[in-house]
Amino acid sequence: MKSHKQILKNSSDVIQTDGKIDRRAFFRKTGAISAIAAASVVAPSVLQASQDDPNIMHHPQWGQIWGDPVSENLYGLPSAYEHNNTRRYTKLLASGNYRAAIAVTPIHESEGIITPNGLFFSRSHGGTAHIDPNKWRLMINGLVEKPIVLTLEQLKRYPRVTRTHFIECPANGGQEWRRPQYNSLQFAKGFMSCAEWTGVYIKTILKDLGLKPTAKWMLAEGSDNSEMGRSVPVEKVLDDAMLVWGQNGEALRPEQGYPVRLLLPGWEGNLCVKWVKRLEFSDEPWYAKEETSKYTALKPNGKAVQHFYANEVNSTVVIPSPEKPWTSIKEGDEVEIEGLAWSGMGTITRVDLSFDGGNNYVKANLKGLILPKCWTRWSYMYTIPKGFKNKDGKQIILTSRAMDDAGFVQPSVDQEIFGYGVAKEDYGKDKDKGMGVESVYHRNAIESWEVSENGEVNHVQIRTI
Amino acid sequence: MFKLELYKTLAATLLATTMLTGIAQAQESDTAAYNGLWNAKKDISGGVHYPFKDGKTGPYVLNPQVYEDSDISKGKDGLKKGFNNGRLATSNELQAWDKDIRPDGIGLPEGSGYVDEGEALYEAKCMSCHGDFGSGGGGYPALAAGKAKEIKRMLKNNRWLNPTAEGPTRVIGSYWPYASTLFWYIRDAMPHPKSKVLSNDETYSLVAYMLYINNMKVKGEIVNETFKLDREKFLQIEMPNKNGFIPYIDGSDGIENIRTFFQNAQNFGGIRLAKGEEPCMQNCQQTDNIVRLNGGITDFEPAMSVERNLPQKVEAVSFDPKAAYDNNCAMCHETGVAPPAGNKVKWTPYLKKGLAAVLQSAINGTENGMPPKGGSSLSDDEFKQVVEFMVK
């Protein structure tokens, strides 16, 4: 198979040998044409021949010469022009050599509710393990009558189920408790992705193993060098917990735990142990490293929330976003504001949209499939006002707020920090109320984009302190 | 349709039938959208539980040959039958993999180690990442920050009223609730470049050293350089922040404590509306203060771009070994952990076996804490140039 780079190189050769089109000039021209078309008062016949689009007037090379034979790219790759649609990482969120680190999903380029496997966010505690599926084994032991070992082939004999769920790192947005940090949707909200998973309900495997009544907890342990482990209540295991090997119609990618990972629908990504090798049942929880020293949310009273399972209801405006601004949009244009909503507590029931940073809301519209513990798309049609300003003369600030069928609604920044229903003059007085700003994890306050006079979109927070 | 079916399955008793005639109506009445089941059988995470019912779970259809109605509160898992796949684990296999360690001492092996042994091991295998006395750095976590009990008080340093104040410090001594985690993690996941190489005795000595640098006591005894840690003493370690976590998950009430905790949204900064309660739609904010980015974090790799173009051809830049050294090696080699670049005296003992041997160790990593290629992603050829630069 050709590498991405080789293909890019060839394509670029093709462009460079095509000397007929001065690319700069043609961008200038198309810009002028768009401006005229946008005015939309000029009849087509009035346009001069000089305004003809060379993209229409000249045969593009791809329309004349052979394309690739089908023997090329037997595992298909994105168009070379899509090379900027990629995971990204930053030094801030990494050990020195990027082995305990995260690469985040370009949410701003996301389409629909499925993240392509190559763009699914990647988080590991000791690097991406590369496992030989023939040598992979799963052990299930502890408080079961019959401790067993399974090969991958044996695991795949169980009846399969396929479910579409998001997985979210609970540190999604976690760098922004004290102020906005990223002028980027990818980094502000991209510690998550959504996929269709195929595997087996763990309870199907347990049925014949004889789970003992004293079993209250399950340890899931990874086979990577960090042996990432987490304690899971048996109740969740007997509900919808899965061992999955399929992701969007193919095998899991190594970054997602190939050949098998744990999937606890709706619960924090860290619990969905990758490269899983062992499940043990016990009467008490374990206190693994990533459920005490990390993945615990420190509150103002000095206590930290542990075993903080579900990712709470959340949402964001995707179009526009800092990466996808409204700089080519003008007054009077009718545009679709589109976004994502998700909840690990249940199913999205409603999304509201604000143009003033969450002070006043209108109802937005859900669209497409609306599934439990899954990304849900929402939309609102909007006519752009002059200068991207509200009637009071202030710049638009787009803020979305989602609700789920468990009755949860996203808090404002102040509400999450100081507590719901606390008056401004009482902020910080009751240390048992609110999450404060040191939690790192499970931040789900509303997110705001301020639109500048020329259509740029900037990340802001509406907050008292 | 999915949404409609979901309501049918889960919420029929709560929703008037007129609301079930179409998606539009269902959306209009969405604040009545509780499926009610979190009240009937409260989900442990505070969310909604979707049982197997009438051949479905939520919107998903189930194979009726395999599944039936479930009711977790009554122990009905919704499975009609099981399958005998795989084989029994042997006792040797169980011994090889079942190595977890719990706070109550289950899984903790016999063995012992001294603080000073731990210190020597730490300096050889751990300090290159975790720094002097566990001070951390280079993206690797700090392990200590002074006297554990005093540092623990800082956990109340919440910067919610003063963003520029000093925040909390979460290190082993001030934050971790149990020492069992320490033993388990060090033995099975450290050293990071190559884990599972430490013996139980070595692990005891490293745990002892961790207690030492965190200025801790074990049952009144100050952990000093000559302190010896064994299994019996280990089980007497009481971490200062043992009671610093909520909800309380241990014991027979643990599971129900969690369930109760997550039923109250105030416990975790959430808002749960009462059934039928509308969310605020007007004048919802108590402030109009806009906090904008102040520079922010911008060192994204690759740099942010949404252009649809062909990637620029990367000009062949000449490789700069010194720059590579500064980026990948200086953290240890310029801080006294390992011989610095250009220091012939310090390199002499290493070069006794020849440059090829040094290069081989550097590429593959060593037992003494040198990670393979220093943890860099340089090619073999580039890395060779760096080594040659260093020993010059």
Side-chain angles (χ1 to χ4, degrees):
Chain A
M1 189 179 22
K2 273 191 178 180
S3 78
H4 206 136
K5 251 185 193 158
Q6 282 170 311
I7 291 158
L8 297 179
K9 189 166 159 277
N10 292 347
S11 310
S12 117
D13 289 342
V14 168
I15 293 292
Q16 283 168 359
T17 53
D18 178 7
K20 282 181 193 161
I21 296 171
D22 174 344
R23 293 176 73 224
R24 265 194 203 158
F26 118 63
F27 280 127
R28 271 203 300 276
K29 260 189 192 168
T30 48
I33 289 165
S34 319
I36 289 164
S40 75
V41 287
V42 185
S45 58
V46 179
L47 290 170
Q48 302 300 307
S50 62
Q51 289 161 331
D52 290 341
D53 185 344
N55 290 304
I56 295 169
M57 302 312 294
H58 299 283
H59 291 296
Q61 193 166 20
W62 66 76
Q64 290 187 293
I65 63 164
W66 271 336
D68 289 342
V70 295
S71 54
E72 284 284 313
N73 287 333
L74 290 178
Y75 191 96
L77 292 169
S79 160
Y81 289 87
E82 295 292 320
H83 70 102
N84 283 320
N85 186 14
T86 187
R87 287 192 288 243
R88 288 183 170 81
Y89 58 94
T90 176
K91 221 170 205 164
L92 173 85
L93 301 167
S95 63
N97 59 15
Y98 301 101
R99 268 24 179 253
I102 188 165
V104 297
T105 293
I107 306 280
H108 56 285
E109 299 281 13
S110 64
E111 307 283 5
I113 59 170
I114 297 291
T115 308
N117 291 341
L119 297 177
F120 205 99
F121 85 98
S122 167
R123 164 74 163 122
S124 67
H125 295 260
T128 298
H130 293 275
I131 295 179
D132 178 346
N134 305 297
K135 293 181 178 170
W136 178 86
R137 297 291 181 270
L138 176 71
M139 179 182 285
I140 303 176
N141 71 311
L143 294 176
V144 288
E145 301 291 344
K146 235 173 61 176
I148 63 164
V149 286
L150 289 160
T151 64
L152 186 58
E153 188 264 336
Q154 288 164 341
L155 179 69
K156 289 184 179 179
R157 284 186 207 159
Y158 290 99
R160 289 148 200 244
V161 285
T162 297
R163 300 286 180 264
T164 305
H165 293 297
F166 71 88
I167 293 181
E168 181 179 22
C169 171
N172 200 10
Q175 297 77 51
E176 301 187 314
W177 280 97
R178 281 182 287 140
R179 61 174 307 120
Q181 293 271 33
Y182 302 116
N183 210 22
S184 157
L185 173 57
Q186 178 163 11
F187 281 87
K189 281 279 176 276
F191 297 37
M192 64 160 179
S193 305
C194 190
E196 187 196 69
W197 308 97
T198 297
V200 55
Y201 281 130
I202 296 175
K203 60 185 172 187
T204 313
I205 307 174
L206 293 178
K207 187 81 174 170
D208 274 350
L209 300 196
L211 193 62
K212 294 182 182 172
T214 46
K216 292 256 178 65
W217 294 91
M218 179 184 84
L219 173 72
E221 204 170 53
S223 68
D224 59 315
N225 88 326
S226 76
E227 293 229 337
M228 240 296 301
R230 288 292 303 258
S231 307
V232 183
V234 160
E235 185 173 317
K236 178 71 172 178
V237 180
L238 296 181
D239 180 11
D240 56 359
M242 296 168 72
L243 286 170
V244 296
W245 54 80
Q247 178 186 0
N248 293 332
E250 63 176 355
L252 293 181
R253 291 289 169 90
E255 298 95 319
Q256 300 312 318
Y258 178 87
V260 179
R261 84 178 294 172
L262 180 65
L263 177 68
L264 303 177
W267 288 19
E268 55 183 33
N270 181 258
L271 279 151
C272 300
V273 174
K274 301 197 275 196
W275 310 290
V276 65
K277 77 171 191 189
R278 194 168 71 95
L279 306 176
E280 180 179 351
F281 291 87
S282 163
D283 56 342
E284 292 285 343
W286 275 265
Y287 293 86
K289 189 226 169 200
E290 308 300 346
E291 58 197 13
T292 56
S293 90
K294 299 284 191 295
Y295 301 93
T296 45
L298 186 58
K299 292 176 64 162
N301 60 12
K303 303 278 183 194
V305 179
Q306 62 181 344
H307 286 249
F308 202 156
Y309 300 127
N311 288 301
E312 305 99 299
V313 64
N314 214 330
S315 70
T316 184
V317 177
V318 173
I319 302 170
S321 59
E323 290 95 331
K324 295 276 189 173
W326 272 344
T327 41
S328 62
I329 305 289
K330 300 172 315 305
E331 179 186 356
D333 286 355
E334 196 179 5
V335 294
E336 183 185 35
I337 296 169
E338 206 203 32
L340 284 167
W342 63 98
S343 171
M345 300 280 202
T347 307
I348 294 297
T349 54
R350 165 171 169 175
V351 175
D352 299 321
L353 180 63
S354 170
F355 295 90
D356 58 9
N359 199 33
N360 298 286
Y361 287 94
V362 295
K363 276 191 186 183
N365 306 287
L366 304 187
K367 61 177 188 177
L369 292 175
I370 299 167
L371 304 173
K373 303 168 186 178
C374 183
W375 277 5
T376 303
R377 284 275 165 183
W378 57 267
S379 161
Y380 187 85
M381 298 308 299
Y382 181 61
T383 307
I384 299 289
K386 190 177 182 190
F388 301 96
K389 287 185 203 302
N390 286 316
K391 283 186 184 133
D392 63 4
K394 292 180 179 167
Q395 294 304 128
I396 295 166
I397 300 176
L398 294 169
T399 304
S400 64
R401 182 186 67 187
M403 285 179 65
D404 66 25
D405 60 349
F408 287 98
V409 58
Q410 277 183 264
S412 70
V413 174
D414 276 4
Q415 283 168 335
E416 187 170 31
I417 293 171
F418 298 109
Y420 178 47
V422 177
K424 192 173 168 177
E425 54 272 21
D426 294 328
Y427 281 177
K429 283 185 185 161
D430 186 344
K431 290 196 163 196
D432 291 326
K433 284 195 174 143
M435 290 305 288
V437 294
E438 309 294 348
S439 297
V440 182
Y441 303 102
H442 288 266
R443 188 175 155 268
N444 72 321
I446 52 175
E447 197 74 73
S448 292
W449 307 139
E450 184 178 43
V451 186
S452 76
E453 223 160 333
N454 54 10
E456 286 160 356
V457 175
N458 292 299
H459 190 189
V460 299
Q461 288 179 356
I462 311 302
R463 58 190 296 162
T464 301
I465 298 164
Chain B
M1 272 317 282
F2 276 98
K3 182 154 184 163
L4 179 62
E5 292 305 323
L6 189 66
Y7 282 110
K8 270 186 182 168
T9 313
L10 301 171
T13 55
L14 282 176
L15 294 174
T17 44
T18 48
M19 293 174 183
L20 289 165
T21 51
I23 293 168
Q25 287 93 326
Q27 279 181 359
E28 277 169 21
S29 62
D30 49 16
T31 47
Y34 284 95
N35 66 28
L37 286 159
W38 63 269
N39 275 328
K41 171 64 196 172
K42 289 168 182 155
D43 180 80
I44 193 168
S45 69
V48 172
H49 161 66
Y50 300 94
F52 292 4
K53 197 162 188 299
D54 301 330
K56 295 177 90 177
T57 171
Y60 297 101
V61 175
L62 295 159
N63 179 351
Q65 292 174 294
V66 183
Y67 307 105
E68 59 190 15
D69 286 1
S70 71
D71 184 346
I72 287 183
S73 66
K74 291 179 183 143
K76 281 181 67 186
D77 56 18
L79 289 163
K80 273 187 179 165
K81 56 179 184 177
F83 305 85
N84 277 303
N85 292 344
R87 64 154 171 82
L88 284 175
T90 70
S91 57
N92 284 338
E93 286 170 348
L94 287 167
Q95 213 179 347
W97 275 18
D98 188 0
K99 294 174 80 175
D100 52 273
I101 299 166
R102 292 196 334 197
D104 56 12
I106 291 182
L108 182 69
E110 293 293 340
S112 64
Y114 287 91
V115 167
D116 56 359
E117 292 170 344
E119 181 167 23
L121 260 175
Y122 179 86
E123 285 172 1
K125 291 178 190 278
C126 318
M127 193 165 77
S128 59
C129 292
H130 289 291
D132 265 353
F133 299 103
S135 56
Y140 297 95
L143 309 174
K147 201 168 184 189
K149 279 200 170 161
E150 285 167 17
I151 304 297
K152 189 203 144 190
R153 287 187 209 119
M154 292 171 69
L155 295 179
K156 289 186 179 173
N157 288 10
N158 212 289
R159 288 167 285 186
W160 58 345
L161 298 171
N162 179 4
T164 56
E166 191 180 8
T169 297
R170 279 160 275 202
V171 292
I172 291 166
S174 67
Y175 199 64
W176 293 31
Y178 292 108
S180 58
T181 311
L182 199 49
F183 193 102
W184 185 14
Y185 191 72
I186 290 174
R187 190 193 58 189
D188 293 348
M190 288 287 131
H192 207 232
K194 190 176 181 185
S195 65
K196 303 173 189 71
V197 294
L198 297 168
S199 69
N200 289 332
D201 285 349
E202 285 175 322
T203 309
Y204 270 109
S205 71
L206 278 168
V207 172
Y209 182 64
M210 291 299 109
L211 303 179
Y212 169 70
I213 60 177
N214 279 282
N215 287 286
M216 282 178 56
K217 288 180 182 172
V218 177
K219 240 193 165 183
E221 183 185 352
I222 294 170
V223 178
N224 57 25
E225 291 92 330
T226 57
F227 180 86
K228 181 189 176 187
L229 187 64
D230 57 18
R231 189 174 189 279
E232 194 186 338
K233 267 195 189 151
F234 187 97
L235 293 172
Q236 293 171 344
I237 301 169
E238 184 137 338
M239 300 298 279
N241 198 38
K242 183 188 170 189
N243 298 316
F245 294 84
I246 48 174
Y248 191 69
I249 60 173
D250 300 339
S252 53
D253 298 333
I255 294 290
E256 292 314 312
N257 287 342
I258 297 170
R259 195 188 317 281
T260 306
F261 183 87
F262 286 109
Q263 286 306 310
N264 181 358
Q266 283 281 17
N267 283 336
F268 54 98
I271 302 174
R272 178 177 244 172
L273 300 178
K275 194 166 71 179
E277 186 185 349
E278 278 284 315
C280 175
M281 294 300 279
Q282 284 178 330
N283 299 317
C284 304
Q285 295 275 24
Q286 298 194 64
T287 178
D288 58 2
N289 184 40
I290 305 171
V291 176
R292 295 186 174 83
L293 280 144
N294 183 15
I297 300 159
T298 54
D299 61 338
F300 305 146
E301 291 290 336
M304 187 58 72
S305 169
V306 292
E307 292 290 310
R308 255 72 191 174
N309 55 14
L310 293 171
Q312 285 181 339
K313 278 187 181 168
V314 182
E315 295 293 322
V317 275
S318 57
F319 179 70
D320 179 358
K322 179 169 186 316
Y325 171 81
D326 291 342
N327 284 332
N328 298 295
C329 322
M331 192 174 75
C332 298
H333 284 270
E334 290 294 323
T335 54
V337 178
N343 188 324
K344 284 207 168 115
V345 178
K346 293 212 165 158
W347 275 106
T348 307
Y350 295 90
L351 287 165
K352 272 180 190 159
K353 285 181 186 169
L355 181 62
V358 169
L359 183 62
Q360 211 51 39
S361 305
I363 286 175
N364 298 328
T366 70
E367 287 286 299
N368 295 327
M370 168 77 191
K373 290 187 188 173
S376 73
S377 49
L378 299 170
S379 71
D380 281 7
D381 182 59
E382 288 167 342
F383 196 72
K384 183 164 175 261
Q385 293 180 52
V386 176
V387 173
E388 285 165 354
F389 160 78
M390 289 168 76
V391 301
K392 234 180 220 168

